[in-house]
Amino acid sequence: MTVHASPVSLRATGGPGQPEPGPALSELYRGFERQSLVPLWTEIGDLMPPSPRPRAVPHRWCWSELLQLAERSGDLVPVGRGGERRAIALANPGLGGAPFATPTLWAAIQYLNPREDAPVHRHAQNAFRFVVEGEGVWTVVDDDPVAMRRGDFLLTPGWRFHGHHNRSDAPMAWLDGLDIPFAHHMGSGFFEDGPEEVPDRSAPARSRSERLWSHPGLRPVGVTGETRCSPIAAYRWEHTDAALREQLALSDEGRPGVLEPGHAAVRFSNPVTGGDVLPTIRAEMHRLLPGTRTATRREVGSSVWQVFDGEATVRVGDREWPVHRGDLVTVPSWAPLTVTAATGLDLFRFSDAPILERLHLDRVQLDNP
């Protein structure tokens, strides 16, 4: 039988609320170490702080720099079995080099060369794509080809076979978002290879899922039962843009609808349940008029923001950056966030809110500007 050395190491420090150091206490602590035990009185400050103390830190990644590295990777790194995807993950500086944007969220730039395929696979983790620029790639989800175009938000729910193929003569990059860190920490991940090539190489303007489900307020009667993920494969930019534009127009008319003055927002939702599109990820688009400054917001749970268009200043905690098209900012749990739009500004946001809300751990605090 293999005997593992105990990872526990304890030291008597004394102080308020602590037992008096001495030989007897040291002997007690050595006993704890041998049995892999940790007394709460030595850890309570870290385990139960007065407010969240996430390891993740606020951070910004510049899209222009990410894109240059992705393009270089396109020259050097093949796509195929083994590598699977030319996806480059954002590694939060506070997480010790792990490829995680936050403790629960994965964000990566994925890059596909002209006329290139990414092979088919499936995994338990939930995923989406958000397209900042470009077109010409189809993602094929359970044999349903889905066009990817600028501004589109596309779903790949967990355990669906999916691959990508670029039909154009230009490369394309986009944002991948997944719940990989959450699945990793929970020990719940599964992965399975599919075909080497995408089975359906057609290039329809609208996927079958859109033809069935993407009609405002209308649900197909012939499809019964609820789905844990949205059945819509792609939420098209023209609909998102129109919804944001009309919110601001109604605000100009003195009607309700905007989140706050000069700030419109929509949430991508599951048409079957009205809830979030994925059980572990919430996704939204925000539009700010020039000069708008948001209320300072704190919330339990983490998020990643990407600039779709425009310029702004983003402040997270004690960090502040100018941001431009494509730039990404991570917001750790309970870190105060304020956005000030220099121009008209569109922002894509995804978060782990469904997890926190399901566990009744969610909390939000707003401080008006």
Side-chain angles (χ1 to χ4, degrees), residues 53-350:
R53 295 177 183 171
R55 291 173 53 219
V57 298
H59 195 72
R60 176 199 59 177
W61 291 265
C62 294
W63 182 254
S64 60
E65 296 173 5
L66 296 179
L67 191 57
Q68 288 178 10
L69 292 169
E71 290 170 346
R72 185 61 176 149
S73 299
D75 296 333
L76 300 174
V77 181
V79 171
R81 290 294 179 225
E84 289 293 322
R85 300 287 189 262
R86 194 182 293 108
I88 306 160
L90 311 186
N92 189 291
L95 298 179
F100 305 152
T102 81
T104 53
L105 301 173
W106 164 286
I109 180 173
Q110 185 170 164
Y111 190 84
L112 207 60
N113 280 321
R115 305 292 172 179
E116 188 174 48
D117 283 19
V120 177
H121 64 213
R122 66 177 176 177
H123 39 71
Q125 294 87 345
N126 296 291
F128 69 79
R129 332 268 163 219
F130 180 69
V131 185
V132 176
E133 54 195 23
E135 60 181 39
V137 171
W138 270 254
T139 182
V140 182
V141 182
D142 278 349
D143 297 341
D144 187 8
V146 188
M148 298 175 62
R149 298 183 291 264
R150 173 167 159 76
D152 291 347
F153 172 69
L154 308 104
L155 295 182
T156 307
W159 215 237
R160 307 279 181 89
F161 279 115
H162 57 283
H164 319 304
H165 65 102
N166 189 346
R167 297 176 59 90
S168 75
D169 294 322
M172 185 171 165
W174 61 86
L175 174 69
D176 279 347
L178 294 92
D179 56 8
I180 289 175
F182 177 71
H184 176 76
H185 292 309
M186 296 298 293
S188 61
F190 290 88
F191 182 92
E192 182 180 325
D193 286 329
E196 292 284 341
E197 297 184 357
V198 173
D200 189 334
R201 303 187 62 81
S202 61
R206 299 175 73 232
S207 63
R208 292 192 298 275
S209 78
E210 292 170 83
R211 293 167 59 194
L212 185 62
W213 285 97
S214 294
H215 305 284
L218 302 174
R219 174 175 173 172
V221 176
V223 181
T224 59
E226 291 194 356
T227 59
R228 64 183 183 87
C229 302
S230 172
I232 301 175
Y235 294 73
R236 299 299 179 188
W237 171 244
E238 56 265 31
H239 305 304
T240 308
D241 180 39
L244 294 168
R245 185 173 61 247
E246 291 297 347
Q247 278 190 26
L248 292 169
L250 285 167
S251 179
D252 286 343
E253 298 166 15
R255 304 294 182 179
V258 295
L259 184 61
E260 56 187 337
H263 181 182
V266 293
R267 181 171 299 162
F268 299 100
S269 65
N270 182 338
V272 180
T273 65
D276 289 293
V277 289
L278 296 169
T280 52
I281 295 175
R282 174 166 296 167
E284 299 172 340
M285 280 294 300
H286 294 248
R287 175 167 291 172
L288 276 64
L289 295 176
T292 298
R293 180 173 181 263
T294 67
T296 300
R297 179 184 180 93
R298 292 177 184 258
E299 62 182 353
V300 174
S302 55
S303 60
V304 177
W305 295 71
Q306 184 171 36
V307 178
F308 179 63
D309 221 349
E311 299 179 1
T313 299
V314 175
R315 184 174 183 83
V316 186
D318 60 358
R319 302 294 307 277
E320 184 173 285
W321 310 275
V323 293
H324 308 84
R325 178 189 284 194
D327 291 354
L328 295 120
V329 174
T330 185
V331 182
S333 182
W334 210 238
L337 167 70
T338 309
V339 180
T340 305
T343 65
L345 182 70
D346 287 340
L347 293 163
F348 172 74
R349 172 185 186 264
F350 71 102

Side-chain angles (χ1 to χ4, degrees), residues 341-360:
T343 65
L345 182 70
D346 287 340
L347 293 163
F348 172 74
R349 172 185 186 264
F350 71 102
S351 75
D352 54 13
I355 300 172
L356 279 299
E357 290 177 1
R358 185 65 61 90
L359 297 174
H360 303 290

